[in-house]
């Protein structure tokens, strides 16, 4: 699959890492018109913090749901008044604009989420994703570590696009590499919330598939999986494979406020900590942005 850099997102240019082993939800304010100004502000705060880190991170990973609106004509989100297409175009425009503030030395990398191609993806939604964000599964190398980006929608809705599912599974079956210092997975939907043997929920991969995939990854040498989707911090272990779930820059659903996770690769292990952007999980403190939007933008919206 060709690696295409979407126009307007130069930070995604990680071509030099693809084969060289040497080398981050939405805040739903209850308003009369949809707005995402609060989320732009939170994203800008995150970018400012990341830009100021020393040493600079090699890359900024977004584990899915870059936009809130689904890539379909008719909205499944009542708040959007049945107009996903218009809302999504506006959100994408604002997403590109705010991420131009990311330090160009810090590469921007995406994992595909359910809001990005739909809970049940279509060939059209996958094509649109690839045009806007690039390929939806791939591997790249930084500092001897092999990072693998997977599209968890193919795990979650494996019957939706059988050919894409088989291609993706073939890719997963070939990720093992004895030359890698570590093999790290990024994907949107976690395999589980707390325990690999837990019952099925909307928020995880079905147990029947989950255990087979976890065993496959573990046998391939994967020991770290980083995910999003839950809008709260969490994780657990399958054998000695650690799954880490990071909360959202937008609306957090757990006890931790908006933030991002700083991951450090060491000689013996990989460590990580959650960096808070604010102290509260209450979105209402951003209501002033909605009021301003209604006055100056005619109710148009802005991204997470």
């Amino acid at each position: 699959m060709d690696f295409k850099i979407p126009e307007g997102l130069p930070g995604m240019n990680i071509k030099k890492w693809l084969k060289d082993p040497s080398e981050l939800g939405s805040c739903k304010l209850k308003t009369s018109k949809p707005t995402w100004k609060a989320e732009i502000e939170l994203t800008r705060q995150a970018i400012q913090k990341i830009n100021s880190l020393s040493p600079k991170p090699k890359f900024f990973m977004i584990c899915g749901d870059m936009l809130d609106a689904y890539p379909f004509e008719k909205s499944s989100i009542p708040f959007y008044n049945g107009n996903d297409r218009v809302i999504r175009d506006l959100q994408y425009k604002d997403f590109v604009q705010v991420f131009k503030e990311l330090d160009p030395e810090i590469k921007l990398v995406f994992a595909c989420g359910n809001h990005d191609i739909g809970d049940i993806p279509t060939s059209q939604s996958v094509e649109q994703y690839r045009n806007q964000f690039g390929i939806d599964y791939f591997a790249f190398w930084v500092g001897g570590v092999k990072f693998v980006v997977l599209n968890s929608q193919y795990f979650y809705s494996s019957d939706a696009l059988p050919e894409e599912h088989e291609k993706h599974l073939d890719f997963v079956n070939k990720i093992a590499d004895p030359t890698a210092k570590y093999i790290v997975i990024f994907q949107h939907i976690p395999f589980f919330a707390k325990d690999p043997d837990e019952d099925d929920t909307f928020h995880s991969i079905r147990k029947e598939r989950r255990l087979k995939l976890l065993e496959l990854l573990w046998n391939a040498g994967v020991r770290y999986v980083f995910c999003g989707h839950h809008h709260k911090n969490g994780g657990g272990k399958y054998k000695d494979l650690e799954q880490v779930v990071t909360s959202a820059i937008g609306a957090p659903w757990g006890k931790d406020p908006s933030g991002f996770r700083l991951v450090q690769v060491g000689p013996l292990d990989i460590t990580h900590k959650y960096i808070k952007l604010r102290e509260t999980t209450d979105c209402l403190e951003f209501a002033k942005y909605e009021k301003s939007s209604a006055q100056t933008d005619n109710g148009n919206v802005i991204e997470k």
Side-chain angles (χ1 to χ4, degrees), residues 113-219:
N114 61 308
H115 280 251
D116 301 314
I117 61 172
D119 296 311
I120 301 176
T122 67
S123 57
Q124 292 79 14
S125 67
V126 172
E127 181 181 7
Q128 180 177 350
Y129 176 89
R130 291 172 179 170
N131 288 335
Q132 290 187 324
F133 296 103
I135 55 178
D136 53 317
Y137 56 94
F138 56 96
F140 63 97
W141 293 81
V142 181
V145 178
K146 186 176 183 180
F147 295 97
V148 181
V149 179
L150 299 181
N151 186 339
S152 55
Q153 292 311 120
Y154 297 140
F155 297 150
Y156 186 81
S157 300
S158 59
D159 297 333
L161 296 170
E163 290 187 11
E164 291 291 352
H165 169 71
E166 288 302 320
K167 291 177 183 178
H168 184 255
L169 189 58
D170 182 62
F171 173 79
V172 175
N173 275 298
K174 296 176 181 176
I175 63 173
D177 195 322
T179 69
K181 184 185 300 182
Y182 309 103
I183 301 176
V184 178
I185 299 292
F186 293 114
Q187 64 186 51
H188 182 61
I189 300 179
F191 290 105
F192 55 90
K194 296 180 180 179
D195 189 296
D197 288 314
E198 68 194 22
D199 293 335
D200 293 340
T201 72
F202 166 77
H203 299 290
S204 62
I205 306 301
R206 288 179 57 185
K207 187 175 180 179
E208 179 183 2
R209 299 173 190 154
R210 172 199 316 159
L211 295 176
K212 292 178 182 178
L213 288 165
L214 285 168
E215 183 68 8
L216 173 62
L217 294 177
W218 185 84
N219 284 329

Side-chain angles (χ1 to χ4, degrees), residues 13 15 18 43 82 89 94 112 119 124 145 147 152 196 255 262 275 281 290 303:
N13 187 1
K15 278 190 174 181
L18 296 181
T43 302
D89 288 347
D94 290 329
C112 184
D119 296 311
Q124 292 79 14
V145 178
F147 295 97
S152 55
K255 63 181 181 179
L262 182 63
I275 309 297
T281 61
E290 186 276 335
E303 202 278 349

